[in-house]
């Protein structure tokens, strides 16, 4: 539900000062976006609509049209928000780890991406949709996520280059695909190919295996 400041924005004829109306609009937009993301994560596109989002946000549906232009605009906003997700969940700060080689970079990315996807229901939904649904809405969210991840890698790599003779694009695609599948398999059945993925120790094993694979290729 929206907080008291947001309710002022929603109520008709609230004659507050201009500065307050602007502030309330921002809070309302954030509440609508948060509600839309929660709804998508929990129920998917099947039950994703203006009325459902408005109910979840606790606001009049006309505000969604006013601020986002409708459902398509709201999906665009969620896609744009995925760029922030990459920055928040996969920080560019190395946390004291020196990235001396391309292998250092990919090892760090692999572990951070694994942890980030494990803890984000909406991103897991998007991953599942990518391989099961071919709709315009899914494509937009998928492209936004992929673009944000590619930009992160480009910024972080700087002058680091993979070893000669290694097709980094192909290798990285396989590593990322493995990470995504581990996360989806854990969410649906708690294991993958005989590897239990239920406890923190289980995930430590998975992370260690990823590191060894990356190091085996990149050194």
């Amino acid at each position: 539900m929206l907080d008291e400041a947001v309710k002022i924005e929603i109520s008709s004829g609230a004659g507050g000062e201009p500065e307050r109306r602007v502030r309330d609009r921002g809070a309302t937009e954030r509440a609508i976006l948060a509600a839309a993301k929660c709804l998508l994560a929990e129920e998917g596109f099947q039950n994703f609509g203006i009325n459902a989002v408005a109910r979840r946000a606790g606001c009049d549906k006309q505000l969604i049209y006013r601020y986002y232009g409708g459902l398509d605009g709201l999906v665009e906003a969620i896609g744009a928000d995925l760029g922030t997700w990459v920055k928040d969940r996969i920080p560019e700060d190395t946390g004291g780890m020196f990235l001396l080689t391309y292998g250092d970079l990919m090892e760090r990315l692999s572990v951070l991406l694994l942890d980030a996807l494990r803890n984000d229901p909406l991103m897991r939904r998007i991953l599942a949709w990518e391989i099961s649904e071919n709709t315009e809405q899914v494509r937009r969210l998928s492209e936004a996520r992929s673009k944000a991840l590619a930009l992160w890698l480009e910024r972080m790599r700087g002058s680091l280059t993979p070893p000669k003779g290694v097709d980094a694009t192909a290798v990285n695609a396989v590593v990322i695909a493995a990470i995504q599948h581990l996360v989806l398999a854990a969410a649906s059945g708690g294991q993958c190919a005989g590897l239990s993925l239920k406890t923190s120790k289980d995930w430590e094993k998975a992370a260690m295996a990823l590191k060894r694979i990356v190091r085996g290729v990149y050194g």
Side-chain angles (χ1 to χ4, degrees):
M1 294 294 290
L2 303 178
D3 60 22
E4 203 60 37
V6 178
K7 291 177 183 176
I8 294 174
E9 163 69 21
I10 294 172
S11 61
S12 59
E17 299 177 356
E19 292 81 8
R20 188 167 190 178
R21 287 200 298 270
V22 170
R23 183 191 66 190
D24 292 341
R25 169 170 177 160
T28 305
E29 289 177 341
R30 291 191 297 272
I32 291 171
L33 185 61
K37 290 165 62 179
C38 287
L39 190 65
L40 269 183
E42 293 174 9
E43 302 188 31
F45 278 111
Q46 183 176 359
N47 296 312
F48 186 71
I50 293 293
N51 291 331
V53 173
R55 283 195 300 271
R56 178 64 65 94
C59 73
D60 191 301
K61 67 180 181 180
Q62 292 305 317
L63 292 176
I64 300 177
Y65 288 105
R66 184 187 305 172
Y67 298 151
Y68 291 100
L71 205 58
D72 285 345
L74 193 51
V75 171
E76 290 288 349
I78 293 173
D81 191 61
L82 296 181
T84 301
W85 177 91
V86 172
K87 286 185 178 180
D88 292 343
R89 299 298 185 93
I90 311 178
E92 295 182 22
D93 177 10
T94 60
M97 176 181 176
F98 293 103
L99 302 180
L100 300 178
T101 68
Y102 191 85
D104 292 337
L105 172 64
M106 289 310 302
E107 178 181 314
R108 179 159 177 76
L109 173 61
S110 299
V111 174
L112 287 173
L113 183 60
L114 181 68
D115 288 340
L117 293 179
R118 282 179 56 205
N119 294 296
D120 195 309
L122 177 57
M123 291 305 296
R124 292 199 301 270
R125 277 276 191 178
I126 293 173
L127 293 178
W129 290 330
E130 286 179 9
I131 59 177
S132 63
E133 297 186 27
N134 185 29
T135 67
E136 180 60 29
Q137 290 175 323
V138 170
R139 282 196 297 273
R140 278 187 286 177
L141 292 180
S142 175
E143 288 171 2
R145 181 190 63 83
S146 298
K147 181 178 180 180
L149 191 59
L151 288 174
W152 181 95
L153 183 58
E154 189 63 26
R155 287 192 300 268
M156 286 293 291
R157 66 175 289 182
S159 61
L160 300 177
T161 57
K164 291 183 179 180
V166 175
D167 187 338
T169 300
V171 172
N172 294 345
V174 171
V175 170
I176 291 173
I179 292 170
Q180 294 177 173
H181 186 73
L182 284 171
V183 171
L184 292 177
S188 62
Q191 64 87 33
C192 180
L195 174 65
S196 176
L197 295 169
K198 298 178 181 178
T199 69
S200 58
K201 287 187 177 180
D202 293 338
W203 285 105
E204 287 174 8
K205 289 181 181 179
M208 182 58 69
L210 279 170
K211 290 179 180 179
R212 288 177 175 170
I213 291 171
V214 169
R215 289 299 182 182
V217 175
Y218 293 124

